[in-house]
Amino acid sequence: MKSSANSQGGVSLTRIRKLRASEAEAFRAARPKSEAAAGKGIAGFFGGVPMHWMNDWPTPFPVVVDRAKGAVIVDIDGIGLDDFCLGDTGSMFGHSPPPVARAIRRQAGRGLTYMLPDEDTLVLGKLLSERFGLPEWQIATTATDANRFALRVARAVTGRPKILVFNGCYHGSVDETMVRLVDGRPANRPGLAGEFRDLTETTKIVEFNDIPALEKVLAGKDIACVITEPVLTNSCMVLPDPGFHDALRRLTRKAGTLLLIDETHTISTGPGGYTGRYGLEPDLFVLGKPIAGGVPASVWGMGADVARRYRAYNARKEPGYSGMGTTLSANPLQFAAMRATLEEVMTEVNYAHMERLAERLETGLEAAIAMHRLPWHVARVGARVEFICAKGPLRNGSEAEAAHAPALEAAIHVALVNRGVLIAPFHNMMLISPATTKRQVDRLVAAFGEVAALLLA
């Protein structure tokens, strides 16, 4: 059942509004300290918050956090929340993993930034190569930065101006990826602040899983790079069709186009990401968010051929600023936290625990959906789980956009918070960390079932 003027996800808008209102009232009543601190905005910050998307949480005002540890957040009203959002992947391995916390404490007394390598650096390069398969790496601060820099390299070594993205993609705030398909035609995404360019002039876009459309666009041989997640994640989750990634790799090679795999969200799949689990062969590889256990950091890697071509390009280009790099990138705090994360946190044992509980969560949510006869489905990639308020599976970005049910999802989110569970605010994403327990998963499933029953009462 699709959304209509009177319903979303098979639930009447009247019922959704009533639930949202009653849950908002309960949220306010339980959090007088958070409301006093943030209910009218936090003084000194534009929009009342230090980053604008903090106002995008569906709760009446943001929860003001006192502390977080493992898979639990405690707010200033003393209320504990089982955290399945985990900083929207930034804390995918739990809040303050002990090895990372120890590394930060050790490095804090030895200097936080000095634009030079240290002893952790001597180990880190080898760790990245061994873990993710590409031989040469660079450090940045966010996945957005890493994607920007990698795309510059792709254009430099190919001499081509254009890139290709899939409709519904997410690569941080990289400008040229901010395009979409509207009635089959490319267009800038709505809402871009201060955008004065037509991004579709240098960005081509096709639907995920559409191999014929991909082949047709690549045939022009003017595409420097295809940038993609292995699974579309920041919309309603879209999994690749069988054979899609094989075709993507074959067609990009045929066209002389580089392939950039952005694993920032799909690192939930395993220690080597989706790339390692399924044997993908990218020319460029990006990973941000959880790579340093919550410390802002990202990495981008190059295959041997790309690195060779980029060295040749640098040897012949005129001197001057490359347009890549930021002063605080590649600092020793990042090195220490990344080394600890790779060596002691992103382990096979931890991933096995995460996968096992993610499967339990997936099964529990599917059972609740079936019991209440809701036209919804569940998608999962490793430790990343999402319930989608529409029938599935979804095959592309247009279907994902149509499946989005913002009013319904917001009501569910607030209701779950009131039952002690926090999920991602921008979509219905839930992550399992090494610190997550079976009891927490079961509480989430129970809360989800209770909210579903209220929606259909």
Side-chain angles (χ1 to χ4, degrees):
M1 185 182 301
K2 294 184 179 180
S3 297
S4 69
N6 299 314
S7 70
Q8 281 190 1
V11 182
S12 77
L13 288 176
T14 299
R15 188 65 203 145
I16 292 170
R17 284 192 289 266
K18 286 182 178 178
L19 180 65
R20 179 80 182 272
S22 64
E23 295 295 337
E25 184 179 346
F27 179 91
R28 288 181 182 278
R31 290 174 170 82
K33 291 182 179 179
S34 280
E35 182 166 23
K40 295 181 180 179
I42 303 171
F45 291 109
F46 178 79
V49 287
M51 189 67 182
H52 65 86
W53 40 247
M54 290 183 181
N55 280 326
D56 291 341
W57 289 83
T59 50
F61 46 84
V63 169
V64 179
V65 176
D66 176 60
R67 62 192 183 277
K69 184 69 176 175
V72 175
I73 280 178
V74 180
D75 67 21
I76 61 174
D77 288 282
I79 299 172
L81 295 169
D82 292 331
D83 188 7
F84 290 88
C85 173
L86 294 170
D88 197 13
T89 311
S91 292
M92 191 182 83
F93 302 113
H95 296 288
S96 300
V100 176
R102 288 194 296 270
I104 292 171
R105 284 195 296 269
R106 184 183 70 249
Q107 188 59 44
R110 301 165 63 183
L112 300 180
T113 190
Y114 28 69
M115 293 186 70
L116 290 166
D118 65 3
E119 291 185 357
D120 285 327
T121 323
L122 307 181
V123 177
L124 185 57
K126 295 177 183 177
L127 285 174
L128 290 169
S129 297
E130 291 168 0
R131 176 64 62 93
F132 302 116
L134 281 73
E136 302 195 35
W137 292 85
Q138 289 282 273
I139 308 298
T141 299
T142 69
T144 292
D145 288 338
N147 279 318
R148 284 184 179 132
F149 303 158
L151 289 175
R152 276 188 174 269
V153 169
R155 286 177 164 130
V157 304
T158 63
R160 297 177 177 181
K162 298 178 182 179
I163 66 166
L164 186 146
V165 301
F166 293 107
N167 192 33
C169 69
Y170 177 70
H171 302 289
S173 56
V174 177
D175 291 350
E176 56 259 63
T177 67
M178 296 293 178
V179 297
R180 64 188 294 215
L181 286 174
V182 180
D183 297 327
R185 302 184 66 177
N188 284 13
R189 289 190 183 183
L192 296 176
E195 184 55 66
F196 57 92
R197 299 161 296 174
D198 179 0
L199 298 173
T200 66
E201 291 182 0
T202 53
T203 301
K204 298 294 184 181
I205 181 169
V206 299
E207 292 284 11
F208 197 71
N209 285 320
D210 190 341
I211 296 172
L214 176 66
E215 184 171 20
K216 182 178 179 180
V217 173
L218 289 176
K221 296 192 175 182
D222 58 350
I223 306 295
C225 185
V226 173
I227 175 173
T228 186
E229 298 177 278
V231 175
L232 296 187
T233 63
N234 212 50
S235 52
C236 297
M237 194 184 297
V238 179
L239 300 175
D241 288 344
F244 173 70
H245 280 295
D246 289 338
L248 173 61
R249 181 67 282 193
R250 174 178 55 82
L251 292 172
T252 49
R253 282 180 172 146
K254 180 181 177 182
T257 295
L258 300 182
L259 176 60
L260 191 165
I261 297 293
D262 181 352
E263 288 266 14
T264 298
H265 285 167
T266 51
I267 192 63
S268 60
T269 312
Y274 197 100
T275 295
R277 170 75 68 87
Y278 295 102
L280 306 187
E281 298 177 358
D283 300 298
L284 297 154
F285 180 104
V286 165
L287 174 58
K289 289 193 179 181
I291 183 64
V295 172
S298 65
V299 298
W300 57 283
M302 294 173 274
D305 182 62
V306 173
R308 176 188 60 78
R309 293 164 69 184
Y310 188 46
R311 272 191 290 274
Y313 171 86
N314 280 328
R316 66 177 182 268
K317 82 176 181 72
E318 62 180 305
Y321 182 50
S322 67
M324 298 160 55
T326 56
T327 302
L328 293 179
S329 293
N331 67 65
L333 189 63
Q334 292 175 327
F335 300 149
M338 276 192 279
R339 179 180 176 181
T341 300
L342 288 167
E343 287 185 332
E344 301 180 68
V345 180
M346 292 175 65
T347 65
E348 293 284 359
V349 170
N350 278 343
Y351 269 100
H353 169 85
M354 293 156 68
E355 183 96 17
R356 187 167 56 251
L357 288 189
E359 185 176 1
R360 184 182 184 90
L361 175 57
E362 178 185 28
T363 300
L365 295 175
E366 287 177 337
I369 288 168
M371 183 176 71
H372 293 287
R373 300 181 180 179
L374 288 162
W376 304 355
H377 74 284
V378 179
R380 179 169 74 89
V381 55
R384 187 182 187 95
V385 183
E386 188 171 329
F387 65 85
I388 298 164
C389 301
K391 292 181 179 180
L394 307 174
R395 293 195 63 250
N396 57 50
S398 291
E399 291 184 7
E401 184 176 357
H404 184 43
L408 175 58
E409 292 161 8
I412 294 170
H413 179 95
V414 180
L416 288 176
V417 170
N418 286 337
R419 286 154 184 79
V421 176
L422 189 71
I423 66 173
F426 316 120
H427 40 91
N428 307 318
M429 187 276 294
M430 297 150 285
L431 281 166
I432 303 296
S433 78
T436 306
T437 66
K438 185 173 76 170
R439 184 173 295 180
Q440 287 178 304
V441 169
D442 291 345
R443 282 199 295 260
L444 169 52
V445 171
F448 178 83
E450 183 180 337
V451 174
L454 287 172
L455 284 167
L456 299 174

